[in-house]
Amino acid sequence: MNASAAPSRWERLGDKTLTSTRVFDVRSTRFRHPRRDTERDFIIIDSPDWVNVIALTRDQQLVLVRQFRFGTEAFSLEIPGGVIERGEDPLVAGVRELTEETGYTGQPARLLGSVHPNPALQTNRCHFVLVEDATCTHPLDWDEDEEIEVVTMPVEKVLKLAHAGGVTHALALNALLLFEPVWRGTRSPRA
């Protein structure tokens, strides 16, 4: 095969749902390579978009959650976040998730950026929202399968923890990576 040839977009031939859960669907999707005429089935996870929130209080603290995660069977230090409802704006979803998980509200809500969590397997995007002037105003409204401790920490301490491996959730690290230059005043968030 010629390594200098431009890559080709595989043609999607069809798919079938293997299983549906309340969080995502798993499907087998058949693709064909246009030049090699190779066909293969690939497993795809079809999930709604997600939102993660960097919530900054007036006294320069970040609102964090320490949450039990079933995949690692351990607590994980993260930022608040969750599933975006069908048709919901990521900014609205971010404010909603922040309030539900932590009791905090704030304004303005601005988009820091978006990523594909794992484009090899997943169809969704994760949007990162910055909410400033966050204050605790509401009772918590957790899902019945959530186990969360809400904590606040100075921004610099959180950034040091992230750089030292104290934050291991990849999407929380993505959000902090996008937030850090905004915090340092070297970049403006996307509005």
Side-chain angles (χ1 to χ4, degrees):
M1 175 148 79
N2 184 351
S4 64
S8 298
R9 182 183 180 97
W10 288 61
E11 176 188 357
R12 181 176 164 181
L13 300 177
D15 56 20
K16 65 179 177 181
T17 300
L18 301 176
T19 190
S20 290
T21 74
R22 90 181 161 82
V23 181
F24 56 79
D25 294 339
V26 178
R27 63 177 203 257
S28 176
T29 304
R30 188 122 184 120
F31 283 93
R32 178 181 352 172
H33 191 277
R35 291 190 308 227
R36 294 191 299 267
D37 205 31
T38 304
E39 287 187 21
R40 297 266 191 283
D41 291 321
F42 295 90
I43 299 299
I44 306 294
I45 299 171
D46 214 359
S47 178
D49 282 359
W50 303 326
V51 64
N52 279 334
V53 183
I54 297 280
L56 181 65
T57 66
R58 290 182 181 133
D59 61 348
Q60 312 305 298
Q61 305 267 321
L62 289 181
V63 179
L64 305 170
V65 292
R66 187 170 284 114
Q67 185 167 0
F68 184 79
R69 291 302 193 180
F70 296 96
T72 58
E73 297 183 37
F75 282 89
S76 175
L77 184 63
E78 306 173 7
I79 58 176
V83 173
I84 296 175
E85 303 297 331
R86 174 168 270 145
E88 188 177 30
D89 180 271
L91 297 178
V92 171
V95 171
R96 176 183 54 73
E97 283 290 339
L98 175 65
T99 303
E100 287 175 5
E101 283 193 3
T102 68
Y104 280 76
T105 57
Q107 290 297 331
R110 298 179 283 168
L111 186 66
L112 288 171
S114 302
V115 298
H116 289 102
N118 186 351
L121 300 172
Q122 294 174 240
T123 60
N124 66 330
R125 294 177 62 80
C126 184
H127 306 277
F128 304 115
V129 172
L130 171 62
V131 174
E132 296 178 90
D133 293 327
T135 56
C136 190
T137 58
H138 288 75
L140 301 174
D141 187 21
W142 297 337
D143 294 336
E144 69 178 31
D145 58 352
E146 289 180 314
E147 190 70 28
I148 300 173
E149 175 189 13
V150 179
V151 296
T152 60
M153 285 186 204
V155 171
E156 289 300 330
K157 182 175 182 180
V158 175
L159 294 174
K160 281 183 183 176
L161 270 172
H163 286 282
V167 177
T168 60
H169 191 296
L171 295 172
L173 288 170
N174 278 163
L176 291 167
L177 176 74
L178 291 171
F179 169 70
E180 188 170 16
V182 173
W183 170 251
R184 304 234 184 272
T186 58
R187 168 172 117 66
S188 296
R190 295 179 207 167

